[in-house]
Amino acid sequence: MASNKQTKSALNSIKMQAASEVGVPLNSGYNGDLTARQAGSIGGQMVKNMIASYTQNNAQ
């Protein structure tokens, strides 16, 4: 089972990748200058990627 630190690190990595995919400039640390639309697009892309990963892993 992954530790809390490992889980946070993995989610942060997924978040940075999702931000890159949707073209939102995300910095490590404070991102309070993002609009709600930008933050929502990152979250939506994260969910989309996690569902695709889950589906792919369970299809095998």
Side-chain angles (χ1 to χ4, degrees), residues 18-36:
S20 175
E21 289 174 5
V22 295
V24 175
L26 191 63
N27 304 313
S28 58
Y30 180 74
N31 285 292
D33 56 340
L34 293 179
T35 65

Side-chain angles (χ1 to χ4, degrees), residues 4 6-7 10-13 15-16 19 21 23-24 35 37 41 51 54 56 58-59:
N4 193 28
Q6 290 171 322
T7 302
L11 283 174
N12 194 47
S13 175
K15 180 172 53 174
M16 296 301 267
E21 289 174 5
V24 175
T35 65
R37 180 179 296 260
S41 66
I51 290 171
Y54 177 82
Q56 182 181 14
N58 285 328

